Amino acid sequence: MVQAQTLQHFGNGAREDQSYFDPGAPPPFKIADIRAAIPKHCWEKSTLRSLSYVLRDVLVVAALVAAAIGFNSWFFWPLYWPAQGTMFWALFVLGHDCGHGSFSNSSKLNSVVGHILHSLILVPYNGWRISHRTHHQNHGHVENDESWVPLTEKVYKNLDNMTRTLRYSFPFPIFAYPFYLWNRSPGKEGSHFNPYSNLFSPGERKGVVTSTLCWTIVLSLLLYLSLTIGPIFMLKLYGVPYLIFVMWLDFVTYLHHHGYTQKLPWYRGQEWSYLRGGLTTVDRDYGWINNVHHDIGTHVIHHLFPQIPHYHLVEATKSAKSVLGKYYREPQKSGPLPFHLLRYLLQSISQDHFVSDTGDIVYYQTDPKLHQDSWTKSK
């Protein structure tokens, strides 16, 4: 039955094309085979090296702030905003490593650094860390995944017009992250700030309170600075870079799981496994930004083995390719800046709307009336 659905999805030509590859087919290797192909030193964490990246990024952020205060001109602000927003995103990625434990072998150091970095950019560290762990443990599962999960047809059809338009109309999806932190995704309940949310177990509530408190302190400080030096200046100094950081986060995380040239499967039931779910993730090339955001685009191996430090991901991926074969999708090479990825983002937002309510291997479907109806109602 599953094979028939897959062939129907790709067309009858799949039976005749000997070069056809079904990404939803069970892989002929095990996760232990991938692990064995990765050099042992790729698993080693260097606290000093990780801290050096923090020092580098914090110094750049501080230098940009000093330059913005010094120049304070409309000539400089348009240069400052994308640069600082990108550095906020780089800080998030380092905090992300702390959340996975790939920053260092010290859980206390990981927690302290993670709280500092994420609180500075208004991310509740433990709330995010726990839900992100759920994402990794259930990647590729229709119901149990946590990040950019597909909506089932039933949930999709029950969305109100405003939610549906915002979710599937550019540029609104790339500003979704703050709303996700407060309310999660459509069809899911809970908040990353509420210790009693169903995202968390009773034993995790204290950590969520700590993170929410840190977030509140930073927000209070930002409000105080707004009153002291003026809200317009703080909007230019922090607010616009924060929005650009949010754009980076949504842009990158969405394209890790969407927008590949061939539609990739989502799973349920017995068809899902940790390995098969992880193999639906996609690597991306970001050109000059690869080094700035700590190779987060090297995502397949990261999803399968989040314990590997970011500075070993490129080498680990090269070593694993011989095992992964066609299950690894080589990223399209980027120019200095990843403008080529905008095409895949726009295409996916316009086509990937929902998945079937039934079936253990499903693919995104398109609602052809979505934008047509929106246009008709706006006239």
Side-chain angles (χ1 to χ4, degrees):
M1 178 66 178
V2 170
Q3 183 181 15
Q5 289 177 344
T6 304
L7 288 172
Q8 182 179 8
H9 175 80
F10 287 103
N12 293 331
R15 298 186 179 91
E16 301 172 358
D17 184 359
Q18 297 301 314
S19 64
Y20 164 74
F21 170 68
D22 177 10
F29 50 83
K30 299 180 179 179
I31 196 166
D33 300 323
I34 309 173
R35 181 187 293 270
I38 298 173
K40 291 184 178 180
H41 69 265
C42 288
W43 304 86
E44 296 175 359
K45 308 163 192 175
S46 169
T47 301
L48 288 177
R49 186 170 182 179
S50 295
L51 287 172
S52 72
Y53 286 109
V54 173
L55 179 61
R56 182 195 77 173
D57 289 359
V58 169
L59 287 176
V60 173
V61 169
L64 287 170
V65 168
I69 294 173
F71 285 106
N72 190 19
S73 70
W74 285 106
F75 171 80
F76 185 76
W77 288 117
L79 302 175
Y80 169 80
W81 290 328
Q84 191 70 295
T86 302
M87 292 311 302
F88 281 13
W89 165 234
L91 293 180
F92 175 89
V93 177
L94 292 177
H96 161 271
D97 283 5
C98 293
H100 281 300
S102 61
F103 186 86
S104 77
N105 288 316
S106 170
S107 59
K108 289 184 178 179
L109 180 63
N110 293 337
S111 181
V112 170
V113 175
H115 270 93
I116 293 173
L117 296 179
H118 275 195
S119 298
L120 287 173
I121 50 175
L122 294 180
V123 175
Y125 174 71
N126 275 325
W128 162 84
R129 178 184 61 81
I130 294 166
S131 74
H132 190 67
R133 181 187 64 201
T134 300
H135 165 52
H136 270 259
Q137 291 174 341
N138 298 276
H139 46 209
H141 193 291
V142 174
E143 280 80 24
N144 297 339
D145 200 345
E146 179 62 30
S147 177
W148 290 113
V149 292
L151 303 186
T152 62
E153 186 171 7
K154 180 179 179 180
V155 171
Y156 174 82
K157 289 184 175 179
N158 286 328
L159 292 177
D160 59 81
N161 290 332
M162 176 66 72
T163 301
R164 189 180 302 177
T165 300
L166 291 176
R167 184 177 173 94
Y168 300 103
S169 300
F170 185 83
F172 301 112
I174 62 172
F175 293 101
Y177 189 64
F179 302 96
Y180 163 73
L181 288 176
W182 280 103
N183 295 311
R184 297 177 75 192
S185 303
K188 293 180 179 288
E189 297 180 352
S191 169
H192 290 76
F193 299 92
N194 182 1
Y196 292 93
S197 167
N198 56 16
L199 274 166
F200 314 120
S201 68
E204 294 168 333
R205 289 172 182 165
K206 184 177 179 180
V208 175
V209 170
T210 300
S211 296
T212 301
L213 178 61
C214 292
W215 181 92
T216 303
I217 290 172
V218 172
L219 180 63
S220 299
L221 177 61
L222 292 171
L223 292 174
Y224 171 76
L225 290 173
S226 296
L227 294 174
T228 303
I229 62 179
I232 300 300
F233 190 79
M234 277 303 295
L235 176 65
K236 294 186 291 185
L237 190 66
Y238 185 92
V240 176
Y242 172 78
L243 289 177
I244 292 175
F245 148 65
V246 168
M247 291 169 63
W248 266 118
L249 190 151
D250 284 322
F251 177 67
V252 172
T253 55
Y254 184 90
L255 288 175
H256 282 159
H257 304 279
H258 297 78
Y260 188 64
T261 51
Q262 178 186 17
K263 285 189 179 294
L264 299 177
W266 290 80
Y267 300 102
R268 292 188 180 99
Q270 295 184 351
E271 292 293 339
W272 181 87
S273 71
Y274 181 83
L275 175 59
R276 293 177 76 181
L279 292 175
T280 64
T281 58
V282 181
D283 278 12
R284 301 290 188 181
D285 182 17
Y286 293 89
W288 288 347
I289 307 299
N290 286 333
N291 180 262
V292 176
H293 70 183
H294 308 291
D295 289 314
I296 194 64
T298 311
H299 208 64
V300 177
I301 290 300
H302 164 69
H303 246 272
L304 293 173
F305 306 108
Q307 310 89 346
I308 295 178
H310 75 265
Y311 42 82
H312 290 318
L313 284 174
V314 172
E315 181 182 358
T317 298
K318 289 179 180 178
S319 300
K321 285 181 184 180
S322 60
V323 177
L324 295 173
K326 291 185 177 181
Y327 286 88
Y328 179 75
R329 291 161 280 275
E330 197 74 39
Q332 180 182 343
K333 289 297 181 182
S334 175
L337 296 174
F339 293 118
H340 69 290
L341 293 177
L342 287 171
R343 174 166 61 94
Y344 299 111
L345 175 71
L346 294 172
Q347 178 177 296
S348 179
I349 290 174
S350 66
Q351 296 180 0
D352 298 337
H353 297 153
F354 60 86
V355 297
S356 173
D357 294 319
T358 60
D360 287 351
I361 301 180
V362 294
Y363 295 82
Y364 267 112
Q365 300 178 42
T366 302
D367 177 6
K369 297 182 179 180
L370 173 61
H371 296 293
Q372 177 183 348
D373 288 349
S374 300
W375 170 252
T376 301
K377 291 175 182 177
S378 66
K379 291 181 68 176

